[in-house]
Amino acid sequence: MITLYTFGPAFGLPDPSPFVTKAEVLLKLARREYRTKRADVRKAPKGKLPFIDDDGTIVADSTFIRFHLEDRHGIDFDAGLTPQQRGVAWAVEKLLEDHLYWALVDGRWTRDADFDRGPRRFFDQVPAPVRPLVIGMVRRQLRRTLWGQGTGRHTRADIERLAMRDIDAVADVLGDKPFLMGATPSGADATAFAFILGLMAPHFESAVRDHAMRRPALVAYRDRGLALWYPDLRMG
C-alpha cells in the first residue's frame, strides 16, 4: 500500500498545502490503494511535503509522485488528450504551482490578518517563551524567499492583480467544460482543483479569494471536485 505523508486537515481543507491535496487527488485518479499519515516536514526527504512511500520506494514532490505513478503503475493521467491539450494542461499546472502559489504564500504569511487566522497555528506546539522569536524568524525567512523569487518585490495591489489574472486564465481554459480538458478529469485537474479549493477556503479573507468566488464556473468546478474526491467535505 502507498503511504502519503501529509500535514493533515486544517482550516477546513483536506490539507493546508495544495501540493498535498494534489498528490492525494492523483492517487484517487490512479485508483491506487493508499493511506495518509502526518509527517514532520523537517524530516521529509526534500524538507517539504508531500512525499510517498510506495512499498519502500520513497518519492518526494507532488510532480515526481505523478511521474512515479505513471512510470511504476502504468497510469496515463492525460489519456485521450491531444498533444495540444497535454501542452495546455501542463501550462495550467505550472501557472498555478509556480506563479499563483507565491501570491497565496504572500497573502497567508505576510498579511497579518490571514497569518493570524492560519499559519500562526502551526507554531502552537513551540514553547510559549520562544514562540514569538520562532514565528518572527520563519516569517522573515519567508519574506526573503518571496523577495528572491520576485513576488515580494511587488506591492500588495500588484500581487493581487497578477493572482487575479491567473485565476481568470484558469477560468477561461475551463470555460463551460466539467473539467479543464473536457468531460473527464485529467492530471492537471488534480493541481487545479487543489489550488482552487485552497484559494476559496472561507477560513481566509482576501481580494483574490473574492475574485475567484465571482467566477461561477470555478465555484461549480470546486463543488464538482468536492463531490467526486471529498464528498464528506463541506465548504461555503
Side-chain angles (χ1 to χ4, degrees), residues 32-70:
R32 299 295 99 176
E33 186 178 3
Y34 73 94
R35 63 181 177 178
T36 61
K37 186 175 181 179
R38 291 175 185 259
D40 184 340
V41 68
R42 294 169 298 179
K43 299 178 181 179
K46 293 183 179 180
K48 294 183 177 183
L49 296 177
F51 69 95
I52 62 170
D53 182 341
D54 185 358
D55 289 331
T57 299
I58 306 299
V59 184
D61 187 286
S62 63
T63 296
F64 288 99
I65 290 171
R66 172 179 174 164
F67 292 166
H68 172 80
L69 293 172
E70 291 173 337

Side-chain angles (χ1 to χ4, degrees), residues 75-119:
I75 307 297
D76 184 355
F77 290 104
D78 292 342
L81 300 189
T82 67
Q84 182 187 41
Q85 288 174 319
R86 287 174 182 256
V88 171
W90 182 256
V92 170
E93 285 196 62
K94 297 306 114 182
L95 174 146
L96 292 168
E97 295 180 350
D98 296 331
H99 197 254
L100 180 62
Y101 169 71
W102 294 107
L104 297 180
V105 170
D106 174 79
R108 292 185 185 173
W109 284 87
T110 73
R111 188 171 177 266
D112 290 339
D114 272 349
F115 178 79
D116 291 341
R117 290 188 186 96

